């Protein structure tokens, strides 16, 4: 039977994982926004489509009516099951309490990250992004990025520890899938689950991305790509007041050569404030504006 749902596979007697997995702790300990920026941009550069043009990456805050969160009631039930696990500490219980509150609010804040002049992710590479850990795709022209351990970084900036991915590749394949990084909990059958769950087509105990363009247009239009490339949606973005400045600083600190050589353009779009355009033109002014609060890592000859 095929259905659209959230599904956390059972452990099958295997390892149980608590609320604080070491992969996430690494990025939560660092500045999560800077880590997210570094990892996402590297994957976009690895997936470049036309070498004669720059890769373009947009960061913007968007909102989704909370009631439109895919399978909202089912996901809230999962959060409550996680919250009730006996080995949880106060920090874990507080996290789930806040996650449930955010889903009960009228709108959910989301950081949408979209890249352009990239290949998108074809079906045979999808597992490297969504359903693998510590496995890197090759760096061929259609690799779609490495997607190794660094793909954990965006989860550290989500108040739900949940992302949605949307891809349109060069062969016109549309793919949409959700992924949530929580902990072992009890499912409806009383079985202990793995820490990671997925939203998509459930076929027995396999979870596959949504690949029906008519369904995407009618039910998941919010996530649909219009151009070839990949979009990542950080659901319940845990933003700080200066999130856009932190992203700008991380871009300049880690990708100055790509910007300077015209290989990368980054647009950051904070609501109610002037958009930030980082490219080879105006780079000196951007460095002076966004690094003065941190430290001066850049020297122009």
């Amino acid at each position: 039977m095929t259905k659209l749902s959230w599904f956390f596979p059972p452990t099958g007697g295997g390892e149980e994982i608590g609320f604080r997995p070491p992969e996430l702790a690494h990025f939560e300990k660092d500045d999560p926004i800077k880590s997210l920026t570094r990892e996402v941009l590297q994957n976009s550069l690895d997936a470049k489509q036309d070498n004669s043009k720059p890769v373009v990456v947009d960061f913007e805050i968007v909102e989704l009516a909370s009631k439109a969160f895919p399978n909202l009631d089912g996901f809230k039930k999962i959060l409550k099951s996680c919250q009730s696990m006996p080995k949880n500490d106060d920090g874990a219980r507080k996290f789930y309490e806040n996650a449930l509150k955010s889903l009960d609010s009228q709108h959910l804040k989301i950081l949408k990250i979209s890249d352009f002049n990239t290949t998108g992710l074809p079906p045979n590479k999808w597992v490297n992004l969504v359903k693998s850990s510590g496995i890197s795709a090759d760096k061929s022209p259609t690799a779609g990025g490495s997607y190794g351990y660094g793909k954990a970084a965006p989860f550290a900036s989500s108040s739900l520890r949940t992302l949605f991915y949307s891809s349109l590749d060069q062969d016109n394949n549309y793919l949409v899938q959700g992924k949530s990084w929580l902990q072992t909990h009890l499912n409806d059958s009383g079985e202990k689950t793995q820490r990671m769950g997925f939203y998509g087509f459930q076929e027995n105990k396999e979870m596959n991305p949504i690949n029906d363009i008519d369904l995407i247009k009618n039910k998941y239009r919010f996530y649909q790509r219009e151009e070839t490339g990949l979009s990542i949606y950080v659901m319940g973005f845990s933003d700080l007041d200066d999130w856009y400045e932190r992203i700008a600083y991380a871009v300049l600190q880690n990708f100055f050569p790509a910007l300077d050589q015209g290989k990368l353009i980054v647009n950051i779009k904070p609501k109610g404030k002037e958009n930030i355009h980082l490219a080879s033109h105006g780079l000196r002014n951007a460095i002076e504006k966004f690094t003065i609060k941190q430290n001066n890592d850049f020297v122009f000859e």
Side-chain angles (χ1 to χ4, degrees), residues 145-160:
S146 61
Y147 301 112
Y149 291 112
K151 64 190 175 183
F155 290 90
S157 290
S158 167
S159 64
L160 305 175

Side-chain angles (χ1 to χ4, degrees), residues 43-56 115-122 140-145 168-172 225-230 263:
N43 285 326
S44 293
L45 286 169
D46 289 341
K48 193 171 190 176
Q49 184 176 22
D50 183 347
N51 284 325
S52 69
K53 300 177 182 178
V55 168
V56 178
D115 60 27
F116 305 90
N117 188 31
T118 57
T119 62
L121 211 63
S140 66
T142 57
L168 173 59
D169 73 10
Q170 299 168 100
D171 296 320
N172 215 34
R225 288 282 312 196
E226 300 293 342
E227 298 179 42
T228 303
L230 179 73
K263 296 179 179 179

Side-chain angles (χ1 to χ4, degrees), residues 6 60-72 75-76 79 95 98-112 157-164 222-223 233-239 271:
W6 284 99
E60 63 179 317
I61 298 292
V62 296
E63 289 187 343
L64 176 72
S66 295
K67 65 182 180 180
F69 186 91
N71 191 13
L72 176 63
F75 190 74
K76 288 168 71 173
L79 292 175
F95 169 85
N98 290 336
L100 287 162
K101 273 184 183 177
S102 68
L103 290 173
D104 285 335
S105 62
Q106 188 173 2
H107 291 95
L108 187 66
K109 186 178 290 186
I110 297 165
L111 177 64
K112 179 182 177 182
S157 290
S158 167
S159 64
L160 305 175
R161 283 188 177 175
T162 299
L163 309 178
F164 270 78
F222 181 78
Y223 306 98
Y233 297 79
V234 183
M235 310 300 283
F237 180 50
S238 302
D239 63 320
K271 278 193 172 181

